[in-house]
Amino acid sequence: MGIPHETDVLIVGSGPAGALLGYLLARRGVDVLVVEKQADFEREFRGESLAAPSVITLRKLGFGEDLDHHGYLESSGVGMWLEGRRVFHVDYRRFSIGTLPIEFPQPPLIRAFQRRAASLPHHHFVGGTRFTGLLEEDGRVRGAVLRPPGGTPVTVRARLVVGADGRFSKVRKAAGLAPRTDQSARDLLSFRLPRPDGWPLESELVVRRDQHLAVLPTYPDAIRVSHNLPKRGLGALRARGLESFRERVVTIDPRLAPLVERHLRSWDDTGFLEVFNAELDEWARDGVLLIGDASHTATPTLGQGVNLAIQDVVGVAPLIASALANGAGGPSVPATAFGEFIAERRRHKAFVARFQKRQEASLAMRSGWQVAARRARFRMLHALPLKYGVFDRLLNTPHRVHPDDLP
């Protein structure tokens, strides 16, 4: 299918946020064009943890059958191990929300969104197409320039361009919406291993002094392991050799020894993630809006990225539809249409970021007294009922789904 030259909303990026937003808007009768630089979705995504509110929201939106047909893993809790002893644990089954988080791969989730959207006459999707710039007139964004594979650039006029193109957003850069980036002192190197029978179906953080592993069960039969390394330290790590890296992993978590020996065979089995937190003073201009990682990049702690993105989508879809229906802003939807939404989302993201920053500072402790104080603090937190209130607010903030978005 060719690229239409005019649409109501042009969404750049078809990750979970862009794909779901395209579907919800098309259901409301909004003309939507979703473009994605990749030709398909058969690639590895890191964010596979759907928090309980996201699961509830997807079921409300009619995607429960897709989740059940594909299959998933329910996560029963989160635990922390310090220097070989479990000192902290939260049992998700104690939350009143009544639903457990699940581990669900992103490619089938995105395909489910796209499959539903493809049946709608107002929805258009084009893969293998790159965003190259914004079309601006009189200080307002009026569309974008796209480049299909092997083709000449195409100009698409739109009343709103939505940047859902991730943590290194090109729409954000083209709009001049510069982020304030807070670089973590550490990055992550991740890999997958087969999940042994009887392995706990919960997230685990395994820490020895200033080195840690995040170990997460993964659908259908694997575990994802992420290991911290110093910022810009990948080259030095690889120079020491794979065997040295494997020894570091096993020293932190001896349970992994036989799995690492058999299945972590080369650097090709690993994936690198640069860790940073990004904030923007503005998420919108007249005619352009950023959502998901493009507007509020989060660190991987507790897997919040995809869940924050879903919250963005269910919150902003009715606002976009209303602004278009009311003719707000004429040829371009004004940034003011999203003022309250952005303020609310920024407050929640700030709460998440503060928690993540404290957690990351705790993981960086290495001196004897720091390690002892950290262990005492987590043991005390573990004994207090307060922990359930903190984690409930962090993980279980309900999504306000608009009635018009329900099937």
Side-chain angles (χ1 to χ4, degrees), residues 3 25-26 43 50 110 113 149 221 244 259 319 336-337 344 354 389 396:
I3 299 176
L25 291 178
R43 56 194 189 276
L50 293 175
I110 297 170
F113 297 158
D221 54 7
S244 174
L259 300 173
L319 299 180
T336 53
E344 179 182 350
R354 286 194 300 270
N396 295 329

Side-chain angles (χ1 to χ4, degrees), residues 268-288:
D268 291 338
D269 296 327
T270 66
F272 174 75
L273 177 66
E274 181 184 358
V275 179
F276 62 89
N277 183 71
E279 302 283 353
L280 283 85
D281 292 328
E282 299 176 274
W283 294 10
R285 284 179 49 198
D286 292 344
V288 65

Side-chain angles (χ1 to χ4, degrees), residues 11-76:
I11 301 173
V12 179
S14 188
L20 181 57
L21 180 61
Y23 167 71
L24 293 181
L25 291 178
R27 280 194 70 246
R28 288 170 169 266
V30 174
D31 283 332
V32 180
L33 171 62
V34 181
V35 296
E36 166 59 42
K37 67 179 180 180
Q38 303 290 342
D40 57 48
F41 305 111
E42 299 307 319
R43 56 194 189 276
E44 183 174 346
F45 295 80
R46 294 181 180 88
E48 298 189 358
S49 300
L50 293 175
S54 297
V55 177
I56 292 172
T57 292
L58 292 175
R59 290 190 179 279
K60 284 182 177 179
L61 294 175
F63 293 101
E65 182 178 338
D66 299 277
L67 299 178
D68 296 336
H69 178 75
H70 181 275
Y72 51 82
L73 291 180
E74 290 185 327
S75 179
S76 62

Side-chain angles (χ1 to χ4, degrees), residues 200-223:
L201 296 182
E202 62 182 32
S203 302
E204 296 182 297
L205 194 59
V206 186
V207 186
R208 286 190 181 272
R209 291 191 176 269
D210 62 339
Q211 296 190 27
H212 76 266
L213 302 174
V215 185
L216 293 83
T218 300
Y219 182 87
D221 54 7
I223 51 177

Side-chain angles (χ1 to χ4, degrees), residues 275-310:
V275 179
F276 62 89
N277 183 71
E279 302 283 353
L280 283 85
D281 292 328
E282 299 176 274
W283 294 10
R285 284 179 49 198
D286 292 344
V288 65
L289 171 70
L290 304 176
I291 62 172
D293 276 353
S295 59
H296 48 66
T297 306
T299 71
T301 303
L302 289 179
Q304 289 293 292
V306 65
N307 299 291
L308 291 170
I310 291 174

Side-chain angles (χ1 to χ4, degrees), residues 40 102 381:
D40 57 48
I102 67 172
L381 181 60

Side-chain angles (χ1 to χ4, degrees), residues 24-266:
L24 293 181
L25 291 178
R27 280 194 70 246
R28 288 170 169 266
V30 174
D31 283 332
V32 180
L33 171 62
V34 181
V35 296
E36 166 59 42
K37 67 179 180 180
Q38 303 290 342
D40 57 48
F41 305 111
E42 299 307 319
R43 56 194 189 276
E44 183 174 346
F45 295 80
R46 294 181 180 88
E48 298 189 358
S49 300
L50 293 175
S54 297
V55 177
I56 292 172
T57 292
L58 292 175
R59 290 190 179 279
K60 284 182 177 179
L61 294 175
F63 293 101
E65 182 178 338
D66 299 277
L67 299 178
D68 296 336
H69 178 75
H70 181 275
Y72 51 82
L73 291 180
E74 290 185 327
S75 179
S76 62
V78 59
M80 174 177 278
W81 295 73
L82 297 178
E83 288 71 49
R85 296 183 180 181
R86 192 170 82 164
V87 299
F88 181 81
H89 183 255
V90 169
D91 185 346
Y92 292 155
R93 293 166 296 192
R94 292 185 56 179
F95 290 130
S96 61
I97 193 169
T99 298
L100 291 175
I102 67 172
E103 297 294 320
F104 191 91
Q106 282 195 24
L109 183 65
I110 297 170
R111 285 197 296 269
F113 297 158
Q114 291 284 13
R115 186 166 54 249
R116 300 289 183 88
S119 65
L120 302 174
H122 294 281
H123 186 275
H124 305 277
F125 171 78
V126 182
T129 298
R130 294 182 176 273
F131 166 87
T132 63
L134 292 171
L135 174 66
E136 297 195 40
E137 297 173 359
D138 302 322
R140 291 172 170 246
V141 173
R142 301 291 175 87
V145 181
L146 308 174
R147 183 182 293 276
T152 57
V154 176
T155 298
V156 178
R157 299 190 72 88
R159 291 186 61 193
L160 181 67
V161 177
V162 178
D165 51 340
R167 61 211 310 259
F168 301 108
S169 171
K170 294 186 181 299
V171 174
R172 181 178 68 201
K173 182 176 181 181
L177 301 175
R180 300 186 310 278
T181 301
D182 181 13
Q183 290 283 353
S184 170
R186 310 188 303 165
D187 292 321
L188 293 177
L189 196 66
S190 63
F191 53 93
R192 295 192 183 214
L193 299 169
R195 191 175 72 251
D197 292 340
W199 193 272
L201 296 182
E202 62 182 32
S203 302
E204 296 182 297
L205 194 59
V206 186
V207 186
R208 286 190 181 272
R209 291 191 176 269
D210 62 339
Q211 296 190 27
H212 76 266
L213 302 174
V215 185
L216 293 83
T218 300
Y219 182 87
D221 54 7
I223 51 177
R224 299 197 310 277
V225 183
S226 297
H227 177 43
N228 70 289
L229 61 154
K231 181 67 67 177
R232 292 177 290 276
L234 180 60
L237 180 74
R238 297 188 66 162
R240 288 192 290 272
L242 183 66
E243 185 57 35
S244 174
F245 174 62
R246 297 199 306 177
E247 290 174 358
R248 288 176 61 173
V249 170
V250 171
T251 298
I252 300 170
D253 192 345
R255 299 175 302 170
L256 300 177
L259 300 173
V260 167
E261 177 66 26
R262 288 196 297 269
H263 301 287
L264 185 56
R265 307 302 300 171
S266 79

